[in-house]
Amino acid sequence: MSNPKLIVVSAPSGCGKTTIVKEILKSHPEFHFSVSATTRAKRNNETDGKDYYFITKEEFQKHIENDTLIEWQKIYDDYYGTLVSEVDKSFACGKSVVFDIDVLGALSIKKKYPEDSMLIFIDVPDMDILNERLKNRKTESPETLKKRIDRVEMEMKQKTLFDYIVINDQLQQAVDEVEKIISNNFN
Ligand code: ADP
Ligand code: 5GP
């Protein structure tokens, strides 16, 4: 058996990374999902402790002070970070970890775990599709939608630093592609 791996899935908001990660986790119960901490408000379809640990800015600040985050970013006026405990508990039982984090967080993971991480960038065929997906998701106000779109250019610039780029046009095709990348890395 190979070493546990860090499978990092990143993309600008709306490209479909969370959808793809959920599909991957359904077919890989042997993987652990790294539940991030965030200060953003919980969406209706989210569960605390499963999708995120929803915490206050003060609690997040404590994590920074206590050095209990592997990486963190301020994104759209909120804080998001990967907890050391999420990776430690997976590695302790030999499990690989799947991350759904932003592009800068992904690059930090690569820096810390250059040998064992695989960085997968989820892209979209064009910006119109991205806009449409974000609007159809119905989770954003006009203001938060704009903040997400404003960050896309910077995020797209990072994609050449990723190990793999998968275009999420047809969902099942994109999931299959990610599956293939993962299985190639375990052989
Ligand atoms: P992200 O996690 O990257 O912000 P989501 O996974 O939330 O993106 O996907 C954004 C929206 O697009 C969701 O409503 C999701 O159901 C939808 N979506 C994801 N992939 C596709 C696809 N291939 N075709 C059409 N809609 C998609
Ligand atoms: P959302 O608010 O849409 O759930 O997430 C916003 C962005 O934050 C997404 O790109 C998501 O992947 C990213 N994100 C979620 N958790 C983390 C984390 O722990 N660290 C970093 N750097 N980004 C994260």
Side-chain angles (χ1 to χ4, degrees):
M1 228 183 62
S2 46
N3 283 343
K5 302 246 188 305
L6 299 99
I7 303 160
V8 187
V9 182
S10 284
S13 183
C15 287
K17 63 188 172 305
T18 306
T19 309
I20 290 173
V21 161
K22 284 192 171 155
E23 289 301 312
I24 296 295
L25 291 169
K26 267 190 223 161
S27 52
H28 290 280
E30 76 278 19
F31 292 161
H32 171 76
F33 176 61
S34 170
V35 181
S36 294
T38 184
T39 60
R40 101 149 147 69
K42 189 170 85 57
R43 295 176 187 148
N44 285 338
N45 65 341
E46 290 176 325
T47 308
D48 189 24
K50 183 168 167 273
D51 296 288
Y52 281 108
Y53 295 108
F54 294 96
I55 63 175
T56 62
K57 287 202 165 122
E58 291 69 30
E59 287 168 323
F60 200 97
Q61 189 57 40
K62 281 256 154 59
H63 276 300
I64 296 173
E65 282 163 20
N66 297 336
D67 215 12
T68 45
L69 297 170
I70 291 179
E71 61 75 37
W72 64 273
Q73 292 289 328
K74 188 175 186 202
I75 308 170
Y76 327 123
D77 301 331
D78 273 301
Y79 293 86
Y80 295 80
T82 302
L83 294 156
V84 171
S85 55
E86 290 291 302
V87 176
D88 280 358
K89 75 182 168 202
S90 310
F91 278 15
C93 53
K95 279 190 167 193
S96 291
V97 193
V98 179
F99 301 82
D100 170 347
I101 62 176
D102 94 304
V103 292
L104 301 180
L107 297 173
S108 302
I109 296 278
K110 186 85 191 169
K111 230 181 208 171
K112 289 203 172 164
Y113 304 91
E115 301 301 323
D116 296 320
S117 60
M118 59 183 100
L119 263 51
I120 305 172
F121 187 99
I122 306 297
D123 205 346
V124 271
D126 61 54
M127 275 303 290
D128 288 346
I129 291 181
L130 179 61
N131 269 298
E132 198 184 318
R133 284 188 190 163
L134 262 182
K135 277 187 192 142
N136 289 344
R137 193 171 71 184
K138 296 189 168 61
T139 52
E140 308 306 320
S141 66
E143 293 74 33
T144 65
L145 186 74
K146 183 177 180 313
K147 281 184 190 162
R148 282 168 190 261
I149 295 296
D150 284 349
R151 203 167 188 268
V152 173
E153 192 182 343
M154 177 284 286
E155 294 171 312
M156 288 292 184
K157 280 192 184 145
Q158 314 302 319
K159 73 178 160 195
T160 54
L161 300 171
F162 278 62
D163 300 314
Y164 306 93
I165 300 173
V166 171
I167 298 177
N168 179 20
D169 187 359
Q170 296 303 316
L171 179 62
Q172 192 52 52
Q173 225 167 301
V175 171
D176 291 347
E177 230 176 288
V178 173
E179 279 286 0
K180 208 185 225 176
I181 291 167
I182 293 172
S183 80
N184 285 343
N185 273 273
F186 278 92
N187 292 325

Coordinates of all heavy atoms in Angstrom, one line a residue, residues 9-14 17-18 34-38 40-41 43 46 51-52 54 60 69 71-76 78-83 99-106 108 134 137 139-140 148 151 155, ligand 2:
V9 N -8.3 19.7 -4.2 CA -9.2 20.1 -5.3 C -9.5 21.6 -5.1 O -10.0 22.0 -4.0 CB -10.5 19.3 -5.3 CG1 -11.3 19.7 -6.5 CG2 -10.2 17.8 -5.4
S10 N -9.1 22.4 -6.1 CA -9.3 23.8 -6.0 C -9.9 24.4 -7.3 O -9.8 23.8 -8.3 CB -7.9 24.5 -5.8 OG -7.4 24.4 -4.6
A11 N -10.5 25.6 -7.1 CA -11.1 26.2 -8.3 C -11.6 27.6 -7.9 O -11.9 27.7 -6.7 CB -12.2 25.4 -8.9
P12 N -11.8 28.5 -8.8 CA -12.6 29.7 -8.4 C -14.0 29.2 -8.0 O -14.5 28.2 -8.5 CB -12.6 30.4 -9.8 CG -11.4 30.0 -10.5 CD -11.3 28.5 -10.2
S13 N -14.6 30.0 -7.2 CA -16.0 29.7 -6.8 C -16.9 29.5 -7.9 O -16.9 30.3 -8.9 CB -16.5 30.9 -5.9 OG -17.7 30.6 -5.4
G14 N -17.7 28.5 -7.9 CA -18.7 28.2 -8.9 C -18.3 27.2 -10.0 O -19.1 26.8 -10.8
K17 N -16.1 22.5 -7.8 CA -15.2 21.7 -7.0 C -15.9 20.9 -5.9 O -15.6 19.7 -5.7 CB -14.0 22.4 -6.5 CG -14.3 23.5 -5.5 CD -13.0 24.3 -5.3 CE -13.3 25.6 -4.4 NZ -14.4 26.4 -5.1
T18 N -16.8 21.6 -5.2 CA -17.5 20.9 -4.0 C -18.3 19.8 -4.6 O -18.4 18.7 -3.9 CB -18.3 22.0 -3.3 OG1 -17.5 23.1 -2.9 CG2 -18.9 21.4 -2.0
S34 N -11.1 16.8 4.6 CA -10.6 17.7 5.6 C -11.6 18.8 5.8 O -11.9 19.7 4.9 CB -9.3 18.3 5.1 OG -8.9 19.4 5.9
V35 N -12.3 18.8 6.9 CA -13.3 19.8 7.2 C -12.6 21.1 7.7 O -11.9 21.1 8.7 CB -14.3 19.3 8.3 CG1 -15.3 20.4 8.6 CG2 -14.9 18.0 7.9
S36 N -12.7 22.2 6.9 CA -12.1 23.4 7.2 C -12.8 24.2 8.3 O -14.0 24.0 8.5 CB -12.0 24.3 6.0 OG -11.2 23.7 5.0
A37 N -12.1 25.2 8.9 CA -12.7 26.1 9.7 C -13.0 27.4 8.9 O -12.2 27.7 8.1 CB -11.8 26.5 10.9
T38 N -14.2 28.0 9.1 CA -14.5 29.2 8.4 C -15.3 30.2 9.3 O -16.1 29.7 10.2 CB -15.2 29.0 7.1 OG1 -15.4 30.3 6.4 CG2 -16.6 28.4 7.3
R40 N -17.3 32.3 7.7 CA -18.5 32.7 6.9 C -19.8 32.1 7.4 O -19.7 31.0 8.1 CB -18.3 32.4 5.4 CG -18.9 31.2 4.9 CD -19.3 31.2 3.4 NE -19.2 30.0 2.7 CZ -20.0 28.9 3.0 NH1 -20.9 29.0 3.9 NH2 -19.8 27.8 2.3
A41 N -20.9 32.7 7.1 CA -22.2 32.2 7.6 C -22.5 30.8 6.9 O -22.2 30.6 5.8 CB -23.3 33.2 7.3
R43 N -24.6 28.1 5.0 CA -25.7 28.0 4.1 C -26.7 27.0 4.6 O -26.4 26.1 5.3 CB -25.2 27.6 2.7 CG -24.2 28.6 2.1 CD -23.6 28.1 0.8 NE -22.6 29.0 0.3 CZ -21.5 28.6 -0.5 NH1 -21.4 27.3 -0.8 NH2 -20.6 29.4 -0.9
E46 N -25.9 23.3 4.5 CA -24.7 22.9 5.1 C -24.8 22.5 6.6 O -25.8 22.9 7.3 CB -23.6 24.0 5.0 CG -23.2 24.3 3.6 CD -22.2 25.5 3.5 OE1 -22.4 26.5 4.3 OE2 -21.3 25.5 2.7
D51 N -19.6 20.0 6.7 CA -19.1 20.8 5.6 C -18.0 21.8 6.0 O -17.0 22.0 5.3 CB -20.3 21.6 5.0 CG -21.4 20.7 4.5 OD1 -21.1 20.1 3.4 OD2 -22.4 20.6 5.1
Y52 N -18.1 22.4 7.1 CA -17.2 23.3 7.7 C -17.4 23.2 9.2 O -18.4 22.8 9.7 CB -17.4 24.7 7.3 CG -17.0 25.2 5.9 CD1 -17.9 25.4 4.9 CD2 -15.6 25.4 5.7 CE1 -17.5 25.8 3.6 CE2 -15.2 25.8 4.4 CZ -16.1 26.0 3.4 OH -15.7 26.5 2.2
F54 N -18.1 26.0 11.5 CA -18.4 27.4 11.5 C -18.1 28.1 12.8 O -18.7 27.7 13.8 CB -19.9 27.6 11.1 CG -20.2 27.1 9.8 CD1 -20.7 25.8 9.6 CD2 -20.0 27.9 8.6 CE1 -21.0 25.3 8.3 CE2 -20.3 27.4 7.3 CZ -20.8 26.1 7.2
F60 N -11.3 32.0 15.3 CA -10.3 31.8 14.2 C -9.0 32.4 14.6 O -7.9 31.8 14.4 CB -10.9 32.4 12.9 CG -10.2 31.8 11.7 CD1 -10.8 30.8 10.9 CD2 -8.9 32.3 11.2 CE1 -10.2 30.2 9.8 CE2 -8.3 31.7 10.1 CZ -8.9 30.7 9.4
L69 N -3.4 25.8 12.6 CA -3.9 25.7 11.2 C -2.7 25.4 10.3 O -1.6 26.0 10.5 CB -4.5 27.1 10.7 CG -5.7 27.5 11.5 CD1 -6.1 28.9 11.1 CD2 -6.9 26.6 11.1
E71 N -2.7 25.9 7.0 CA -2.7 27.1 6.1 C -4.0 27.8 6.3 O -5.0 27.2 6.8 CB -2.5 26.7 4.7 CG -3.6 25.8 4.1 CD -4.9 26.5 3.8 OE1 -4.9 27.6 3.3 OE2 -6.0 25.9 4.0
W72 N -4.1 29.1 6.0 CA -5.3 29.8 6.1 C -5.3 31.0 5.1 O -4.2 31.5 4.8 CB -5.7 30.3 7.5 CG -4.7 31.3 8.1 CD1 -3.6 30.9 8.8 CD2 -4.8 32.7 8.1 NE1 -2.9 32.1 9.2 CE2 -3.6 33.2 8.8 CE3 -5.7 33.6 7.5 CZ2 -3.4 34.5 8.9 CZ3 -5.4 35.0 7.7 CH2 -4.3 35.4 8.4
Q73 N -6.5 31.5 4.7 CA -6.6 32.6 3.8 C -7.8 33.5 4.2 O -8.8 32.9 4.7 CB -6.8 32.2 2.4 CG -5.7 31.4 1.7 CD -4.5 32.3 1.4 OE1 -4.7 33.5 1.1 NE2 -3.3 31.8 1.4
K74 N -7.6 34.8 4.0 CA -8.8 35.7 4.1 C -9.4 35.7 2.7 O -8.7 36.1 1.7 CB -8.4 37.0 4.6 CG -9.6 37.9 4.8 CD -9.2 39.3 5.4 CE -10.4 40.0 5.8 NZ -10.2 41.4 5.9
I75 N -10.6 35.3 2.5 CA -11.2 35.2 1.2 C -12.6 35.9 1.3 O -13.4 35.5 2.1 CB -11.4 33.7 0.7 CG1 -10.1 33.0 0.8 CG2 -12.0 33.7 -0.7 CD1 -10.2 31.5 0.6
Y76 N -12.9 36.8 0.4 CA -14.2 37.6 0.4 C -14.6 38.1 1.8 O -15.7 37.8 2.3 CB -15.3 36.7 -0.1 CG -15.1 35.7 -1.2 CD1 -15.4 34.3 -1.0 CD2 -14.5 36.1 -2.4 CE1 -15.1 33.4 -1.9 CE2 -14.3 35.1 -3.4 CZ -14.6 33.8 -3.1 OH -14.4 32.8 -4.1
D78 N -13.9 36.9 4.7 CA -14.0 35.9 5.7 C -12.7 35.1 5.8 O -11.9 35.2 4.9 CB -15.2 34.9 5.5 CG -16.5 35.5 6.1 OD1 -16.5 35.7 7.3 OD2 -17.4 35.8 5.3
Y79 N -12.6 34.3 6.8 CA -11.4 33.5 7.0 C -11.7 32.0 6.8 O -12.8 31.5 7.2 CB -10.8 33.7 8.4 CG -10.3 35.1 8.7 CD1 -11.2 36.1 9.1 CD2 -9.0 35.4 8.4 CE1 -10.7 37.4 9.2 CE2 -8.5 36.7 8.6 CZ -9.4 37.7 9.0 OH -8.9 39.0 9.2
Y80 N -10.8 31.3 6.2 CA -10.9 29.9 5.9 C -9.6 29.2 6.2 O -8.5 29.8 5.8 CB -11.2 29.7 4.4 CG -12.5 30.2 3.9 CD1 -12.7 31.5 3.5 CD2 -13.6 29.3 3.7 CE1 -13.9 32.0 3.0 CE2 -14.8 29.8 3.2 CZ -14.9 31.2 2.8 OH -16.1 31.6 2.3
G81 N -9.6 28.1 6.9 CA -8.3 27.5 7.2 C -8.4 26.0 7.4 O -9.4 25.4 7.8
T82 N -7.3 25.3 7.1 CA -7.2 23.9 7.2 C -6.6 23.6 8.6 O -5.5 24.1 9.0 CB -6.2 23.3 6.2 OG1 -6.7 23.6 4.9 CG2 -6.1 21.8 6.3
L83 N -7.3 22.8 9.4 CA -6.9 22.4 10.7 C -5.8 21.3 10.7 O -6.0 20.3 10.1 CB -8.1 22.0 11.5 CG -9.2 23.1 11.8 CD1 -10.5 22.4 12.0 CD2 -8.8 23.9 12.9
F99 N -9.1 17.6 0.1 CA -9.3 19.0 0.5 C -10.1 19.8 -0.6 O -9.8 19.6 -1.8 CB -7.9 19.8 0.6 CG -7.0 19.2 1.6 CD1 -6.2 18.1 1.2 CD2 -6.8 19.7 2.8 CE1 -5.3 17.5 2.1 CE2 -5.9 19.2 3.7 CZ -5.1 18.1 3.4
D100 N -11.0 20.6 -0.1 CA -11.7 21.5 -1.0 C -11.3 22.9 -0.5 O -12.0 23.4 0.4 CB -13.2 21.2 -0.9 CG -14.1 22.3 -1.6 OD1 -13.6 23.4 -1.9 OD2 -15.3 22.0 -1.7
I101 N -10.3 23.4 -1.1 CA -9.7 24.7 -0.6 C -9.4 25.6 -1.8 O -9.3 25.2 -2.9 CB -8.5 24.5 0.4 CG1 -7.3 23.9 -0.4 CG2 -8.9 23.7 1.6 CD1 -6.1 23.8 0.5
D102 N -9.1 26.9 -1.4 CA -8.8 27.9 -2.5 C -7.4 27.6 -3.1 O -6.6 26.9 -2.5 CB -9.0 29.3 -2.0 CG -7.7 29.9 -1.6 OD1 -7.1 29.3 -0.7 OD2 -7.3 31.0 -2.1
V103 N -7.2 28.3 -4.2 CA -5.9 28.0 -5.0 C -4.7 28.4 -4.2 O -3.7 27.7 -4.3 CB -5.9 28.8 -6.3 CG1 -7.0 28.3 -7.3 CG2 -6.1 30.3 -6.1
L104 N -4.7 29.4 -3.4 CA -3.6 29.8 -2.6 C -3.3 28.8 -1.5 O -2.1 28.4 -1.2 CB -3.7 31.2 -2.0 CG -3.9 32.3 -3.1 CD1 -4.1 33.7 -2.4 CD2 -2.8 32.4 -4.1
G105 N -4.4 28.4 -0.8 CA -4.3 27.3 0.2 C -3.7 26.0 -0.4 O -2.8 25.4 0.2
A106 N -4.1 25.7 -1.6 CA -3.6 24.5 -2.3 C -2.1 24.6 -2.5 O -1.3 23.7 -2.2 CB -4.3 24.4 -3.7
S108 N 0.0 26.3 -0.7 CA 0.6 26.2 0.6 C 0.8 24.7 1.0 O 1.8 24.3 1.5 CB -0.2 26.9 1.7 OG -0.3 28.2 1.4
L134 N -22.8 30.1 -10.7 CA -22.9 30.8 -9.4 C -24.3 31.4 -9.1 O -24.8 31.3 -8.0 CB -21.9 31.9 -9.4 CG -20.5 31.6 -8.7 CD1 -19.7 32.9 -8.8 CD2 -20.7 31.2 -7.3
R137 N -26.8 28.6 -8.3 CA -26.7 28.0 -7.0 C -27.5 28.7 -6.0 O -27.8 28.2 -4.9 CB -25.2 28.0 -6.6 CG -24.9 27.1 -5.5 CD -23.4 27.0 -5.2 NE -22.7 28.2 -4.8 CZ -21.4 28.4 -4.6 NH1 -20.6 27.4 -4.8 NH2 -21.0 29.5 -4.1
T139 N -26.9 31.0 -3.8 CA -26.3 31.1 -2.4 C -25.8 32.5 -2.2 O -25.5 32.9 -1.0 CB -25.2 30.1 -2.2 OG1 -24.2 30.3 -3.2 CG2 -25.7 28.7 -2.1
E140 N -25.7 33.3 -3.2 CA -25.0 34.6 -3.1 C -25.9 35.8 -3.3 O -26.8 35.8 -4.2 CB -23.9 34.7 -4.2 CG -22.9 33.5 -4.1 CD -22.3 33.2 -2.8 OE1 -22.0 34.2 -2.1 OE2 -22.2 32.0 -2.4
R148 N -16.9 37.3 -5.4 CA -16.5 36.0 -6.0 C -15.9 36.1 -7.4 O -14.9 35.6 -7.7 CB -17.6 34.9 -5.9 CG -17.7 34.4 -4.4 CD -18.9 33.6 -4.1 NE -19.0 33.4 -2.7 CZ -18.6 32.3 -2.0 NH1 -18.1 31.3 -2.7 NH2 -18.6 32.3 -0.7
R151 N -12.5 37.8 -7.8 CA -11.3 37.0 -7.4 C -10.9 36.0 -8.5 O -9.8 35.5 -8.4 CB -11.6 36.3 -6.1 CG -10.4 35.9 -5.3 CD -10.8 35.5 -3.9 NE -9.6 35.3 -3.1 CZ -9.0 34.2 -2.9 NH1 -9.4 33.1 -3.5 NH2 -7.9 34.1 -2.1
E155 N -7.3 33.9 -9.4 CA -7.3 32.4 -9.2 C -6.9 31.7 -10.5 O -6.2 30.7 -10.4 CB -8.7 32.0 -8.7 CG -9.0 32.6 -7.3 CD -10.5 32.3 -6.9 OE1 -11.4 32.6 -7.7 OE2 -10.7 31.9 -5.8
Ligands
5GP2 P1 -17.2 28.8 0.0 O1 -17.6 30.1 0.8 O2 -17.7 28.9 -1.4 O3 -17.5 27.5 0.7 O4 -15.6 28.8 -0.1 C1 -14.9 29.9 -0.6 C2 -13.5 29.5 -1.0 O5 -12.8 29.1 0.2 C3 -13.5 28.3 -1.9 O6 -12.5 28.4 -2.8 C4 -13.1 27.2 -0.9 O7 -12.5 26.1 -1.6 C5 -12.1 27.9 0.0 N1 -11.8 27.2 1.2 C6 -12.6 26.4 2.0 N2 -11.9 26.0 3.0 C7 -10.7 26.5 2.9 C8 -9.5 26.3 3.7 O8 -9.4 25.6 4.7 N3 -8.4 27.0 3.3 C9 -8.4 27.8 2.2 N4 -7.3 28.4 1.8 N5 -9.5 27.9 1.4 C10 -10.6 27.3 1.8

